[in-house]
Amino acid sequence: MAAEIHYQTIATLAARLAAGELSAVELMQAVIDRTRAVDDRVRAFNSRDEADALAQAAASDARRSAGEAMGPLDGIPVALKDVIAVEGQPLTASSRMLADFVSPYDATVVKKLRQAGAVLWGRLNLDEFAMGSSTENSAFGATHNPWDLSRVPGGSSGGSAAALAAGEAIATLGSDTGGSIRQPAAFCGVVGLKPSYGLVSRYGLIAFASSLDQVGPFTRTVEDAAMLLQVLAGHDPLDSTSFTAEIPDYRAAVCAGPRSRRLGIPKEYFGAGLDPEVAAAVRAAIAFYAAQGWEIQEVSLPHTEFCLDTYYIIATAEASSNLARYDGIRYGHRSQSAGDVTELYEKSRAEGFGAEVKRRIILGTYVLSSGYYDAYYRRAQQVRTLIRSDFLRAYEQVDALLTPTSPMPAFRHGEKADPLAMYLCDIYTIGVNLAGLPAISIPGGFTQAGLPIGLQLIGRPFREAELLATARNYEQAHDWHQRRPNL
Amino acid sequence: MPGADELDIDHVAALARLALTPEEKSNFSRQLGGVLQHIEQLRKVDVTGVEPTAHAFPVVNVWADDVARPGLTTAAALRNAPAQRQNLVVVPKVVE
């Protein structure tokens, strides 16, 4: 039986649209109907503009019937994490600070999606300013995991993962600073790719930690991730950290299969705190690759135990500096009860930011403050060098690393009330951001209770094609990615 | 590395321009005390002679061509301003 329209892949739908079996308006309407039916339970969206999406879909149909050149994503509904600017649409970062903000311009990735013909669909919930691992820290309420509504979808791009898993979009975009694409992808049973730092423009992405942030796709298959990455990747003069490199044909490379077959298993990623069912799924994946003739090697990333601390110094330091711009003056929330200008800053920020954002601004301000800079920030940057060297050394022996994405499957709302317990959810994903590497989470099984388990594959810098091919090798032999939640 | 108990929440909140309630001050002090205690373990790493990494792939001296290009209109730039008058953002008086 063919999947319902709202659960089909980009690859399938692009072919069906091209063959005239389906119109873009019919596709968009199917996605709207599905969203109306389930989003009061999932709560993935902060806002959506049905009329605007249907108008974009109608324009795609008009281009097709006029015989105009069609983009690779023409007529495909793609929803966006609410930190990516779309001109004329709300942009909230799930914060009271930006509750009424309207984007004055398009992010570069949005311009690229438009050029590719995609239908821009809705603004997805997140942890406020992308700070969190559960999408509970949203000023507009928590998102629910479609596989078990009492559980979190992960975070910070929880809305992006949940919307896709629930059939409320055909693909979505998220952003990943310490695991914010991969961990929710794992919790919701979808594919999530964090590209190499610099591969995808950050222009028009609300900044959290600028040396770590990267935009990336959520999709149902690895092939879809390749199709979406093709559109997103490439140099942008508006992002001075954007990388200038030849962009390969990702889909062709992925379909051709991996060129090398040496897989590393970092021993530090199987320590205390790893859920036994997650560990079993990863071990089964290792056995699968071995059976396929891959050379499996245990490798060591000796500074792994320091990743979390290094990350929480660097990320909060950069965040405290980036979020200084929200001062109630030019845009964003302004306190109505302030007297002088200093009080205006202090009260606007106090009223506009939620608890986790305040906590991280305080920590970041502290580690950068006079007398503490060398002890914390500079030292963290030095340890970052060592963490990065660990990965590069491992890549002398192997071509990709296989690990769990998250130490545990989706947890219940309210379960991780202590900030440190929440931060520990990211231990397997943050090293990748510190080292600037590409990594993907793919569906790798289910727990006895029916919760998705994610496998993480980490690749060499800017070798996304090889990474995706390695991931697809597993995906093609398993059907986890074809299962759908009961909603 | 300084001790975790040294976080002077009033001083740091003033630097961060955040008006915290007494309850937030006590919560954040306690919670961040725990995080700072965890961070103490970075002391164990020998970083002698290690260069700091600011970006994973350092790019230096990225220049843009000095060519005028269209920017936001005044109306677009002011669209999100909390208070405005005569194409200006209104703010509290900052000089006496």
Side-chain angles (χ1 to χ4, degrees), chain A residues 22 56 72 100 102-103 109 112 162 213-214 240 243 255 265 275 300 319 328 337 355 376 452 459:
Chain A
L22 180 74
Q56 294 177 65
D100 302 316
V102 175
S103 294
V109 291
K112 285 170 175 265
D213 296 342
Q214 202 46 202
S240 60
F243 195 70
C255 295
I265 313 299
D275 178 275
S300 176
S337 67
Y376 288 117

Side-chain angles (χ1 to χ4, degrees), chain A residues 19 22 24 32 53 58 61 67 70 136 141 171 202 229 254 264 330 353 365 370 382 411 420 425-426 450 467 471:
Chain A
L22 180 74
I32 288 172
D61 286 334
M70 302 303 282
E136 293 170 293
R202 293 183 294 110
L229 184 64
V254 166
R330 292 151 300 156
F353 291 138
T365 303
S370 177
Q382 288 174 307
F411 45 88
L420 189 55
C425 298
D426 301 329
L467 175 67

Side-chain angles (χ1 to χ4, degrees), chain A residues 105-397:
Chain A
Y105 60 84
D106 276 344
T108 295
V109 291
V110 168
K111 276 193 190 127
K112 285 170 175 265
L113 286 173
R114 288 191 200 278
Q115 282 158 9
V119 173
L120 302 170
W121 164 234
R123 327 280 320 151
L124 297 160
N125 200 14
L126 63 143
D127 287 297
E128 184 178 2
F129 283 100
M131 296 178 185
S133 309
S134 68
T135 315
E136 293 170 293
N137 301 332
S138 163
F140 310 125
T143 295
H144 298 260
N145 191 315
W147 293 91
D148 177 345
L149 295 169
S150 72
R151 292 176 188 270
V152 304
S156 67
S157 312
S160 303
L164 187 63
E168 300 175 81
I170 303 305
T172 62
L173 293 193
S175 63
D176 190 316
T177 305
S180 283
I181 290 175
R182 291 158 286 154
Q183 184 252 23
F187 279 17
C188 292
V190 296
V191 174
L193 172 68
K194 186 219 100 69
S196 303
Y197 183 79
L199 185 69
V200 175
S201 169
R202 293 183 294 110
Y203 181 76
L205 167 70
I206 291 183
F208 163 14
S210 302
S211 80
L212 304 166
D213 296 342
Q214 202 46 202
V215 173
F218 286 88
T219 55
R220 301 205 161 102
T221 63
V222 174
E223 183 184 15
D224 278 8
M227 291 178 75
L228 200 42
L229 184 64
Q230 198 77 51
V231 169
L232 302 176
H235 181 251
D236 177 14
L238 297 175
D239 173 359
S240 60
T241 60
S242 166
F243 195 70
T244 41
E246 282 294 307
I247 303 300
D249 183 337
Y250 291 115
R251 193 182 185 188
V254 166
C255 295
R259 284 182 297 183
S260 53
R261 290 175 171 261
R262 294 184 306 167
L263 198 58
I265 313 299
K267 63 178 181 188
E268 291 83 1
Y269 281 57
F270 295 85
L274 177 59
D275 178 275
E277 288 185 281
V278 175
V282 180
R283 303 231 176 264
I286 296 168
F288 164 79
Y289 280 107
Q292 296 281 302
W294 288 61
E295 185 189 318
I296 311 287
Q297 279 189 50
E298 187 181 88
V299 297
S300 176
L301 304 170
H303 295 91
T304 298
E305 64 171 307
F306 305 111
C307 284
L308 187 74
D309 297 324
T310 303
Y311 174 83
Y312 276 95
I313 291 172
I314 291 174
T316 58
E318 293 185 12
S320 73
S321 159
N322 272 325
L323 271 63
R325 73 190 68 182
Y326 302 103
D327 56 7
I329 300 293
R330 292 151 300 156
Y331 52 81
H333 174 76
R334 178 182 287 194
S335 173
Q336 297 306 310
S337 67
D340 64 14
V341 73
T342 303
E343 204 183 2
L344 179 76
Y345 299 149
E346 290 176 341
K347 285 194 170 173
S348 298
R349 290 162 64 75
E351 294 166 14
F353 291 138
E356 183 59 25
V357 174
K358 290 178 188 174
R359 210 159 22 233
R360 295 202 197 189
I361 288 174
I362 292 290
L363 182 58
T365 303
Y366 174 66
V367 299
L368 288 178
S369 63
S370 177
Y372 298 100
Y373 179 93
D374 282 345
Y376 288 117
Y377 189 64
R378 187 182 156 81
R379 192 176 190 86
Q381 286 194 313
Q382 288 174 307
V383 179
R384 183 176 183 181
T385 304
L386 299 172
I387 290 165
R388 186 163 176 270
S389 305
D390 284 352
F391 281 101
L392 299 181
R393 201 167 304 118
Y395 287 132
E396 290 169 8
Q397 302 169 53

